[in-house]
């Protein structure tokens, strides 16, 4: 049971993020929602990397236990970097949208439709 | 030689060459007709201007049929369909997300049920 | 020389990336230096793509691991048979996609040099353009799921930034923001899928995962996350809303390449269905899901296109509609190949038709978007109600537009007809009703392009466009290359199908071949 607790946290985080994305009207809050989903996914990757009763992948004189590959940590780092880039891009776009539309309400940022 | 132009679809075949030949023949016929036309044709004296029974030619802007006036009948006949489809294209980002997540859910259900 | 040839798959990414990050530096030296540099880079990277493709078509699948001294040593001896490095796997279908990206990439860069001439901010534009090119090459060439996610995100970021590049009173930014937000969420859910697979199979390599695939409940969930994220990125109908927005507001040359980047997602969708879950997932169910998405895309795309007033938005809806044809072809292929009711021929033909349509669509839709860009460049408006009589002054543009329009409507002898014929015939044997819908959609496509053609080029010379000029030479050359290819592919369809499409279709179906190419003789 206690093993699965982190996955529960991941699920709750991602669902919270999706809730924010779908039900909040403010563009900034939608970006926050995306960011929360991102954190959930990063946590998910990190949690995957943990194996009970295992050792670091150093072969010299290692006991014959399962080893933990550091792949997921590398993945998470990459994913965080990508996340920062998207976050910055989206926030700057919202700034420009606000400058011209004078609003960040998602239901009013609809000049392109039909 | 001719075979190299043929697309075999497994159940039929289609040869682009015949279309090209048809185009060339049509072009040659058109060219011949054009050749028989008047060679000395003075365009400077207004002989190319439209003549509408003596009524003055309307402004160029009036003559051109704009895109908004095209397919009026089509749009009118299908207005019921467009009244149904257009409201989905709200331009609202929340709806975009909703559509994406709904499709994910539906596909998940379909793929799991019909595994 | 051998070193360069051996490392071509790496250079595929390296050249555009180098070009991207050196462009701002070199443009300090002036516009001419930058233009030369941009042309050199795009020529090199397109050549590189074509060379890789030709080597693959001659000698079979290339497996390229980054960071090994000898290329053959893909799987380290002490790793227990798992490739631990990032691996590029390029088989005939990747080669097929690479050719598309190379050709269209070259044309749009040539075109942008001219179309961007009078505008500011060219450094950033070309940097982002090369990043987009690099990411599309990466998405096509990679054999690693996480690496694919990285390239997917780069393409979303570069694409969104390019869409929003001309702020255009905030409207372009709105389009870019929608694209960025939606594709980021798609990317995140894709990453969840990657995590689910990594947790079970301890690998990120597609071939290893395909080899070990058990189809547990988690695998199915990962499949759905991949499937919908990629279907959203290629603009299949219930998730197509971002497509018209961003295709409209992006600069035209970028739009032509966004089409290619959507098609790279489409390729990945097929890769997931055929290779990653090859023989495991129920082909009939997935095939029908793809067919339904395809039919919806075709029909709703084209009917939404007809009443549009904005020429690029109209073309963007047509892009959605044409994507439907590709989905239909490949979906029928997937469903028919697994079913015992149909001969193998039906499925293979549908698959070939769908794949051939990807290539044809990239060519003629690129051409159409570029002609729309010329109109925008010379007349300053995209509104069809304000245009008219341009055919008097822009003869070449008109001819190119006609070629593109006839090709997209599937009029022989242009290339659109060849691929649509393959799709119609096989779909008719599979399910006549769908074939009828496909043909009706083709007619509606023709109808809407007749409208565009009339309202842009026909009619008397309007006073406001009295002195409008023909497009500049580089733009005409870029459009000319695409137009010539459209005609050639229409007149010699069998040669293209034999040399490019058939190997691609067989490579897509043969997942054992893909796995053994990476893991070695399994």
């Amino acid at each position: 049971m206690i093993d699965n607790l982190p996955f529960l946290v991941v699920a709750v985080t991602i669902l919270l993020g999706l809730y924010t994305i779908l039900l909040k009207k403010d563009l900034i809050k939608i970006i926050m929602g995306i960011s929360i989903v991102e954190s959930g996914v990063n946590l998910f990757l990190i949690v995957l990397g943990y194996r009970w009763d295992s050792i670091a992948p150093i072969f010299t004189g290692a006991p014959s236990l399962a080893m933990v590959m550091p792949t997921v940590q590398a993945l998470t780092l990459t994913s965080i970097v990508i996340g920062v880039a998207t976050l910055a891009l989206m926030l700057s776009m919202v700034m420009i949208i606000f400058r011209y539309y004078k609003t960040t309400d998602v239901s009013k940022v609809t000049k392109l439709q039909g | 030689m001719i075979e190299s132009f043929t697309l075999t679809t497994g159940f039929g075949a289609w040869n682009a060459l015949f279309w090209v030949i048809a185009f060339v023949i049509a072009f040659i016929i058109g060219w011949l007709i054009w050749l028989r036309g008047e060679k000395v044709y003075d365009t400077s004296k207004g002989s190319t201007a439209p003549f509408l029974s003596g009524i003055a030619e309307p402004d160029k802007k009036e003559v051109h049929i704009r895109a908004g006036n095209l397919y009026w009948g089509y749009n009118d006949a299908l207005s019921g369909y467009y009244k149904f489809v257009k409201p989905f294209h709200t331009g609202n980002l929340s709806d975009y997300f909703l559509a994406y997540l709904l499709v994910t859910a539906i596909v998940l259900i379909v793929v799991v049920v019909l595994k | 020389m051998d070193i360069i040839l051996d490392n071509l798959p790496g250079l595929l990414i390296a050249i555009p990336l180098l070009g991207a990050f050196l462009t701002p530096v070199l443009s300090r030296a002036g516009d001419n230096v930058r233009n030369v540099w941009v042309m050199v880079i795009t020529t090199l990277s397109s050549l590189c793509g074509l060379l890789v493709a030709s080597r693959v078509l001659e000698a079979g699948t290339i497996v390229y691991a980054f960071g090994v001294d000898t290329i053959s040593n893909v799987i380290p001896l002490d790793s227990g048979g798992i490739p631990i490095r990032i691996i590029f796997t390029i088989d005939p279908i990747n080669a097929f996609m690479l050719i598309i990206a190379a050709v269209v990439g070259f044309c749009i860069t040539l075109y942008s040099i001219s179309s961007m001439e009078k505008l500011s901010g060219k450094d950033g534009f070309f940097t982002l353009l090369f990043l987009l090119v690099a990411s599309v090459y990466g998405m096509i060439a990679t054999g690693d799921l996480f690496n694919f996610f990285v390239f997917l995100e780069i393409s979303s970021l570069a694409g969104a930034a390019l869409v929003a590049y001309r702020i255009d009173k905030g409207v372009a930014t709105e389009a870019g923001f929608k694209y960025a937000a939606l594709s980021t969420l798609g990317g995140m859910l894709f990453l969840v899928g990657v995590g689910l697979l990594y947790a079970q199979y301890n690998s990120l390599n597609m071939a290893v995962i395909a080899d070990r695939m058990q189809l547990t409940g988690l695998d199915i969930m990962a499949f759905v996350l991949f499937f919908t994220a990629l279907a959203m990125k290629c603009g299949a109908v219930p998730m197509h809303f971002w497509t018209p927005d961003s295709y409209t507001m992006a600069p035209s040359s970028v739009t032509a390449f966004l089409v290619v980047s959507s098609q790279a997602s489409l390729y990945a969708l097929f890769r997931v269905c055929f290779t990653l879950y090859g023989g495991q997932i129920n082909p009939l169910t997935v095939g029908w899901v793809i067919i339904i998405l395809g039919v919806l895309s075709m029909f709703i795309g084209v009917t939404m296109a007809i009443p549009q007033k904005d020429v690029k938005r109209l073309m963007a809806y047509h892009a959605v509609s044409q994507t439907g044809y590709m989905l239909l072809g490949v979906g029928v292929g997937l469903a028919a190949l697994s079913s015992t009711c149909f001969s193998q021929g039906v499925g293979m033909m549908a698959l070939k038709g769908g794949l051939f349509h990807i290539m044809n669509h990239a060519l003629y839709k690129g051409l159409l978007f570029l002609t729309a860009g010329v109109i925008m460049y010379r007349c300053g408006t995209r509104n069809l109600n304000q245009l008219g009589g341009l055919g008097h002054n822009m003869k070449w543009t008109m001819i190119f537009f006609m070629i593109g329009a006839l090709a997209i409507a599937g009029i022989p002898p242009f290339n659109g007809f060849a691929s649509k014929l393959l799709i119609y015939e096989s779909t008719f044997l599979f399910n006549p009703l769908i074939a009828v819908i496909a043909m009706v959609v083709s007619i509606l496509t023709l109808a809407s392009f007749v409208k565009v053609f009339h309202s842009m080029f026909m009619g008397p010379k309007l006073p406001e466009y009295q002195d409008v000029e023909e497009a500049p030479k580089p733009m005409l050359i870029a459009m000319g290359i695409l137009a010539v290819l459209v005609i050639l592919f229409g007149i010699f369809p069998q040669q293209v199908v034999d040399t490019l499409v058939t190997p691609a279709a067989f490579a897509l179906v043969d997942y054992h071949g893909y796995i053994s190419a990476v893991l070695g003789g399994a």
Side-chain angles (χ1 to χ4, degrees):
Chain A
M1 176 60 212
I2 194 82
D3 315 7
N4 287 331
L5 199 60
F7 292 107
L8 193 69
V9 175
V10 167
V12 168
T13 318
I14 291 181
L15 287 178
L16 268 179
L18 291 180
Y19 164 83
T20 319
I21 290 171
L22 286 179
L23 294 176
K24 291 293 170 187
K25 289 277 167 231
D26 195 285
L27 287 181
I28 301 280
K29 284 182 185 163
I30 287 176
I31 294 177
M32 284 163 76
I34 292 174
S35 196
I36 293 171
V37 172
E38 218 169 82
S39 316
V41 176
N42 289 339
L43 186 61
F44 177 55
L45 289 179
I46 283 291
V47 168
L48 290 180
Y50 191 79
R51 304 281 153 96
W52 289 96
D53 294 328
S54 52
I55 55 165
I58 302 165
F59 283 87
T60 323
S64 59
L65 290 172
M67 288 182 183
V68 186
M69 288 289 278
T71 321
V72 280
Q73 280 80 351
L75 303 191
T76 314
L77 272 181
T78 317
S79 158
I80 288 172
V81 171
I82 292 174
V84 169
T86 38
L87 198 63
L89 182 73
M90 286 193 290
L91 284 174
S92 55
M93 280 172 171
V94 170
M95 271 175 60
I96 296 172
I97 289 174
F98 183 76
R99 192 177 301 157
Y100 286 94
Y101 288 41
K102 303 288 175 226
T103 176
T104 52
D105 185 343
V106 69
S107 58
K108 294 199 177 93
V109 186
T110 54
K111 278 199 183 162
L112 290 160
Q113 55 172 286
Chain B
M1 172 60 197
I2 295 176
E3 293 84 59
S4 66
F5 291 90
T6 310
L7 174 70
T8 45
T9 58
F11 306 93
W14 170 64
N15 196 318
L17 193 63
F18 295 116
W19 277 82
V20 176
I21 291 172
F23 270 108
V24 170
I25 290 173
F27 178 79
I28 290 173
I29 292 173
W31 183 66
L32 286 176
I33 294 172
W34 180 82
L35 269 189
R36 290 175 56 83
E38 194 67 54
K39 293 280 185 304
V40 279
Y41 187 65
D42 188 5
T43 53
S44 62
K45 303 254 171 62
S47 51
T48 53
F51 179 74
L52 303 170
S53 310
I55 306 165
E57 188 201 350
D59 190 31
K60 294 285 188 216
K61 285 195 159 183
E62 308 289 318
V63 178
H64 183 51
I65 300 165
R66 306 282 174 160
N69 299 322
L70 293 171
Y71 294 154
W72 177 86
Y74 168 88
N75 284 328
D76 197 54
L78 288 183
S79 60
Y81 168 76
Y82 281 113
K83 270 195 195 114
F84 172 72
V85 176
K86 279 234 168 132
F88 285 106
H89 298 77
T90 50
N92 187 334
L93 187 58
S94 299
D95 296 347
Y96 296 15
F97 284 124
L98 190 64
Y100 172 43
L101 293 175
L102 268 184
V103 172
T104 311
I106 292 169
V107 173
L108 182 63
I109 292 168
V110 169
V111 173
V112 168
V113 168
L114 298 176
K115 186 176 156 192
Chain C
M1 198 60 202
D2 271 354
I3 287 186
I4 294 179
L5 285 180
D6 282 342
N7 288 300
L8 271 180
L11 288 178
L12 211 55
I13 309 300
I15 294 175
L17 280 183
L18 179 80
F21 293 116
L22 281 187
T23 304
V25 179
L26 282 175
S27 36
R28 299 263 159 197
D31 272 8
N32 288 329
V33 176
R34 186 193 42 240
N35 288 350
V36 170
W37 169 250
V38 165
M39 277 322 292
V40 166
I41 288 295
T42 185
T43 313
L44 279 180
S45 71
S46 292
L47 262 183
C48 191
L50 292 177
L51 264 178
V52 172
S54 73
R55 277 167 74 94
V56 169
L57 290 173
E58 268 171 30
T61 310
I62 294 180
V63 179
Y64 179 83
F66 281 88
V68 281
D69 42 359
T70 49
I71 297 299
S72 57
N73 194 7
V74 171
I75 301 170
L77 292 174
D78 53 354
S79 73
I82 307 173
I84 51 172
R85 293 192 170 83
I86 290 175
I87 286 184
F88 273 17
T89 318
I90 304 171
D91 69 355
I93 177 148
N94 301 94
F96 175 79
M97 297 300 299
L98 278 180
I99 293 173
I100 298 174
V103 171
V104 180
F106 178 77
C107 290
I108 57 128
T109 321
L110 183 61
Y111 181 95
S112 333
I113 285 182
S114 193
S115 69
M116 292 292 294
E117 210 175 350
K118 295 176 196 156
L119 303 170
S120 60
K122 279 171 277 198
D123 314 356
F125 179 84
F126 283 110
T127 306
L128 288 168
L129 194 63
F130 281 137
L131 276 179
L132 189 62
V133 171
S135 71
V136 168
Y137 279 142
M139 278 162 77
I140 293 167
T142 191
D144 183 285
L145 276 176
F146 186 77
N147 200 226
F148 181 85
F149 161 78
V150 172
F151 285 120
L152 187 74
E153 286 292 291
I154 296 176
S155 91
S156 308
L157 277 176
L162 280 170
V163 169
Y165 206 72
R166 300 275 158 242
I167 290 169
D168 207 357
K169 301 194 183 72
V171 184
T173 318
E174 178 194 332
F177 177 73
K178 285 174 180 172
Y179 180 41
L182 203 57
S183 43
T184 308
L185 184 67
M188 282 306 140
L189 295 188
F190 187 93
L191 189 55
V192 175
V194 176
L196 286 174
L197 289 185
Y198 180 80
Q200 298 175 77
Y201 305 116
N202 286 322
S203 179
L204 292 165
N205 189 284
M206 290 190 205
V208 176
I209 296 175
D211 192 32
R212 298 181 180 174
M213 181 61 66
Q214 307 285 329
L215 206 66
T216 58
L218 290 178
D219 287 338
I220 291 180
M221 208 172 141
F223 173 79
V224 173
L225 291 174
F226 291 153
F227 183 90
T228 45
L230 295 169
M232 187 272 289
K233 282 285 287 181
C234 74
V237 140
M239 306 167 279
H240 67 294
F241 302 116
W242 65 269
T243 330
D245 294 357
S246 49
Y247 282 13
T248 312
M249 296 318 295
S252 292
S253 50
V254 174
T255 314
F257 207 72
L258 281 179
V259 172
V260 179
S261 96
S262 302
Q263 286 173 342
S265 313
L266 196 66
Y267 144 75
L269 178 68
F270 300 157
R271 180 63 94 197
V272 166
C273 295
F274 280 90
T275 305
L276 196 62
Y277 287 80
Q280 294 276 348
I281 200 101
N282 184 347
L284 210 56
T285 313
V286 177
W288 270 101
V289 170
I290 298 179
I291 291 171
I292 289 169
L293 285 180
V295 171
L296 277 176
S297 305
M298 277 192 320
F299 194 73
I300 294 182
V302 81
T303 47
M304 283 305 292
I306 292 179
Q308 295 301 325
K309 287 185 215 60
D310 184 323
V311 55
K312 279 182 76 182
R313 200 169 174 83
L314 187 144
M315 287 180 183
Y317 273 115
H318 277 297
V320 172
S321 153
Q322 300 299 312
T323 308
Y325 276 99
M326 302 159 206
L327 288 169
L328 175 66
V330 177
V332 169
L334 188 59
L337 276 176
S338 66
S339 165
T340 47
C341 315
F342 305 102
S343 68
Q344 289 293 90
V346 179
M348 281 315 288
M349 200 202 338
L351 204 55
K352 282 182 208 168
L355 292 177
F356 192 20
H357 205 64
I358 295 182
M359 177 168 260
N360 291 339
H361 178 244
L363 295 174
Y364 60 63
K365 182 55 67 144
L367 181 61
L368 284 171
F369 274 123
L370 294 188
T371 53
V374 171
I375 306 292
M376 180 75 188
Y377 179 75
R378 285 300 188 199
C379 307
T381 177
R382 294 190 306 264
N383 191 334
L384 284 172
N385 285 338
Q386 292 170 10
L387 292 166
L390 298 174
H392 295 280
N393 288 338
M394 305 170 89
K395 294 203 170 53
W396 282 106
T397 312
M398 180 172 77
I399 290 170
F400 291 145
F401 179 85
M402 273 169 74
I403 292 171
L406 292 175
I408 195 176
I411 303 292
F414 297 101
N415 63 0
F417 177 73
S419 49
K420 281 186 182 178
L421 182 71
L422 291 171
I423 296 175
Y424 294 154
E425 284 212 351
S426 51
T427 314
F428 188 78
L429 293 170
F430 181 76
N431 188 332
L433 181 66
I434 300 176
V436 170
I437 296 175
M439 287 179 206
V440 170
V441 167
S442 229
I443 296 166
L444 291 176
T445 310
L446 183 63
S448 76
F449 273 97
V450 167
K451 166 186 161 178
V452 179
F453 183 66
H454 173 86
S455 49
M456 283 203 312
F457 295 106
M458 293 287 108
K461 245 186 208 178
L462 293 180
E464 59 264 44
Y465 305 124
Q466 200 69 37
D467 308 316
V468 111
E469 281 173 47
E470 181 57 278
K473 283 267 159 47
M475 290 160 101
L476 284 181
I477 294 170
M479 290 190 288
I481 296 172
L482 291 175
V484 166
L485 284 175
V486 166
I487 294 174
L488 278 184
F489 280 20
I491 294 180
F492 301 100
Q494 185 66 42
Q495 277 75 357
V496 181
V497 169
D498 280 346
T499 48
L500 299 176
V501 182
T502 310
F506 278 107
L508 198 55
V509 176
D510 180 22
Y511 57 91
H512 293 299
Y514 184 86
I515 294 168
S516 60
V518 177
L519 297 182

